[in-house]
Amino acid sequence: GAGVSQSPSNKVTEKGKDVELRCDPISGHTALYWYRQSLGQGLEFLIYFQGNSAPDKSGLPSDRFSAERTGGSVSTLTIQRTQQEDSAVYLCASSIQNYEQYFGPGTRLTVT
Amino acid sequence: AQRVTQPEKLLSVFKGAPVELKCNYSYSGSPELFWYVQYSRQRLQLLLRHISRESIKGFTADLNKGETSFHLKKPFAQEEDSAMYYCALSPFNQGGKLIFGQGTELSVKP
């Protein structure tokens, strides 16, 4: 079946611009997670959704980062006024409750 | 503080040799622990979780609460085991979010 998909696969943007990253989870998966994979920081948790609500936003690095999920399905991670330190691979994962998380291929963001 | 430490960035062994990837954690409670693996040009995927006590692809990991460790072991490494390995902790009742270690790159040479 279809796995988790993310778009775009690569995004190059200029410092100061806003970007939107999209995640399509596996159908029926109620939980959705965003992580960031960067050279200096490894894999970091950003935010978690259960349905359309986000009980845990503790990993968002600043108020420039926000995320939403609609219809219990697609999620969008938005980064406003991008900075060079935002360059990373952004990973999305979905799961049924606390079971195995299935990861997407990631979006590689480069801020120039 | 909740933290996962993988002390080795790179581990290089020869085919057929035993391999042990180290993982230590810091957590004030009973953690749920995992090993995830990322093969070249593939997605991050679950290798094993401690509660299932399985052996996957010949790998095993035992939770040692006294030493707060969850080392990953395989008696005879294969070239196809070359990958990036991440140890992860899921805190109790926090929605299943994962706290990852920095990862260890395993290189198995022929």
Side-chain angles (χ1 to χ4, degrees):
Chain A
V4 177
S5 61
Q6 292 185 246
S7 60
S9 55
N10 279 285
K11 176 73 177 178
V12 181
T13 190
E14 291 180 354
K15 177 182 170 181
K17 301 279 191 186
D18 297 353
V19 295
E20 282 189 355
L21 312 180
R22 178 186 167 110
C23 172
D24 283 86
I26 293 172
S27 176
H29 280 195
T30 54
L32 186 148
Y33 307 82
W34 283 97
Y35 297 90
R36 180 168 72 171
Q37 189 173 30
S38 54
L39 275 176
Q41 304 296 324
L43 264 165
E44 308 169 89
F45 165 79
L46 297 178
I47 186 170
Y48 147 66
F49 287 92
Q50 180 60 41
N52 290 336
S53 63
D56 189 343
K57 308 178 185 180
S58 62
L60 294 177
S62 75
D63 58 8
R64 296 186 294 106
F65 287 72
S66 63
E68 65 174 12
R69 188 180 185 194
T70 55
S73 181
V74 173
S75 176
T76 303
L77 178 69
T78 301
I79 309 173
Q80 295 178 309
R81 306 181 301 282
T82 51
Q83 303 294 312
Q84 287 187 330
E85 62 262 28
D86 300 334
S87 295
V89 175
Y90 289 82
L91 294 174
C92 174
S94 70
S95 75
I96 300 173
Q97 287 300 101
N98 287 358
Y99 289 91
E100 176 180 353
Q101 291 186 26
Y102 292 84
F103 282 80
T107 293
R108 181 175 297 278
L109 175 66
T110 304
V111 182
T112 61
Chain B
Q2 303 163 351
R3 187 168 60 247
V4 177
T5 303
Q6 294 178 250
E8 303 135 330
K9 288 187 71 173
L10 173 65
L11 186 61
S12 185
V13 301
F14 286 101
K15 175 182 172 182
V19 63
E20 180 179 68
L21 289 84
K22 291 183 167 36
C23 172
N24 288 87
Y25 66 90
S26 173
Y27 181 65
S28 57
S30 290
E32 188 165 3
L33 287 155
F34 305 81
W35 278 97
Y36 276 80
V37 60
Q38 189 166 27
Y39 300 101
S40 179
R41 292 184 293 278
Q42 293 189 28
R43 304 178 183 205
L44 193 63
Q45 59 186 278
L46 178 67
L47 181 61
L48 54 81
R49 58 195 301 176
H50 88 274
I51 59 170
S52 61
R53 303 184 68 83
E54 293 174 299
S55 172
I56 306 292
K57 300 185 178 183
F59 285 97
T60 58
D62 290 318
L63 176 59
N64 185 322
K65 292 186 179 180
E67 296 183 357
T68 59
S69 68
F70 187 56
H71 303 327
L72 183 68
K73 300 177 185 179
K74 185 170 182 177
F76 307 104
Q78 303 299 313
E79 290 180 67
E80 56 265 30
D81 296 328
S82 296
M84 195 73 183
Y85 291 80
Y86 293 94
C87 182
L89 176 156
S90 183
F92 176 72
N93 208 26
Q94 291 192 28
K97 77 178 188 185
L98 296 170
I99 297 170
F100 286 92
Q102 295 283 81
T104 297
E105 181 181 354
L106 175 64
S107 174
V108 181
K109 300 185 185 309

